[in-house]
Amino acid sequence: MATFQKPENALKRAEELIDVGKQQDALDTLHAAIQHRKFRNLWTTTIEQIMVRHLQLCVELKKMRTAREGLYQYRTMCQAANIGSLETVVQKFRKAAEEKVSEAKKVKDTQMSDMGDLDEMEAPQTILLKAIQAQDTRQQSQDRDVHMHFRFLWDTYKVVLDVLKSNVRLEEVYHETARHAFEFCR
């Protein structure tokens, strides 16, 4: 992985990779920039932009471990310099994960409504055969996809609560996230 002299260069390179469709490479570039020893204790607005983009890619690619490592590093970076930035980044991360879940639920609901119409046209024997077959059906794969999004959201809540638990100045965001997690459990 290439090292960058400035964090702006890493962000620019990641955006170029995203434009080409290489999200994983962009995520690796941003993660390397966050973990780089030169930028480790340096908080700037560019680092905040890198972190926001990093977490957006983690949500898209469902990479919780990478998101967790990045959030811990970012907490260390901005603990003394700008704690409000950590609040902003955490809220954007949580919101992105929640939007991804609602998006997945909408897709599943629309596909399920389409499936209901198709089932009416099929013969009863065909429906019975599909129910008996052991192979993975479309509905099962859709359920698995939605389940993965739910799991990612739950892990997001856990990580955010863990990152914020020891900071008194971010107590409001901690409680807000805890309320979201309680609502999620209902």
Side-chain angles (χ1 to χ4, degrees):
M1 187 57 48
T3 58
F4 297 97
Q5 296 297 319
K6 297 180 184 177
E8 293 87 1
N9 296 343
L11 184 61
K12 184 178 177 186
R13 178 67 179 146
E15 292 298 336
E16 291 170 356
L17 288 169
I18 291 168
D19 291 340
V20 181
K22 296 185 175 184
Q23 279 88 2
Q24 182 61 48
D25 292 339
L27 179 62
D28 293 340
T29 301
L30 294 175
H31 192 69
I34 291 167
Q35 299 290 336
H36 195 273
R37 63 181 169 83
K38 188 175 181 180
F39 313 133
R40 189 171 289 160
N41 296 321
L42 170 75
W43 181 88
T44 62
T45 55
T46 305
I47 296 289
E48 181 178 344
Q49 293 170 352
I50 286 174
M51 193 62 206
V52 167
R53 194 66 178 129
H54 176 268
L55 292 173
Q56 287 173 347
L57 286 172
C58 287
V59 169
E60 288 175 21
L61 300 174
K62 299 180 199 124
K63 300 285 186 179
M64 181 49 71
R65 183 180 195 147
T66 308
R68 182 182 304 118
E69 290 172 2
L71 266 176
Y72 286 136
Q73 181 62 40
Y74 190 69
R75 178 185 63 184
T76 305
M77 254 185 238
C78 66
Q79 191 88 26
N82 189 354
I83 202 69
S85 175
L86 180 61
E87 177 181 349
T88 304
V89 167
V90 161
Q91 287 176 334
K92 287 181 181 179
F93 177 48
R94 189 185 66 221
K95 185 177 180 184
E98 289 169 349
E99 287 173 355
K100 198 70 169 173
V101 166
S102 64
E103 181 182 306
K105 283 183 0 185
K106 285 179 186 175
V107 167
K108 184 180 182 307
D109 290 343
T110 58
Q111 289 176 346
M112 288 304 293
S113 66
D114 293 343
M115 290 289 261
D117 295 342
L118 291 175
D119 285 342
E120 292 173 3
M121 293 185 289
E122 292 180 6
Q125 296 87 356
T126 310
I127 296 171
L128 188 59
L129 263 173
K130 284 184 179 179
I132 295 173
Q133 288 177 343
Q135 68 183 10
D136 189 23
T137 64
R138 276 189 284 167
Q139 182 180 356
Q140 289 171 339
S141 62
Q142 291 167 359
D143 290 344
R144 191 176 313 117
D145 189 45
V146 171
H147 177 73
M148 286 173 38
H149 286 291
F150 275 119
R151 181 73 178 171
F152 188 86
L153 180 59
W154 179 248
D155 289 340
T156 299
Y157 289 141
K158 287 184 353 186
V159 166
V160 167
L161 291 172
D162 192 41
V163 166
L164 299 176
K165 73 180 176 189
S166 60
N167 195 322
V168 176
R169 293 178 282 179
L170 296 175
E171 196 170 303
E172 289 180 27
V173 181
Y174 181 88
H175 288 294
E176 182 182 330
T177 302
R179 282 192 297 271
H180 281 265
F182 283 132
E183 287 298 318
F184 175 77
C185 290
R186 286 187 183 191

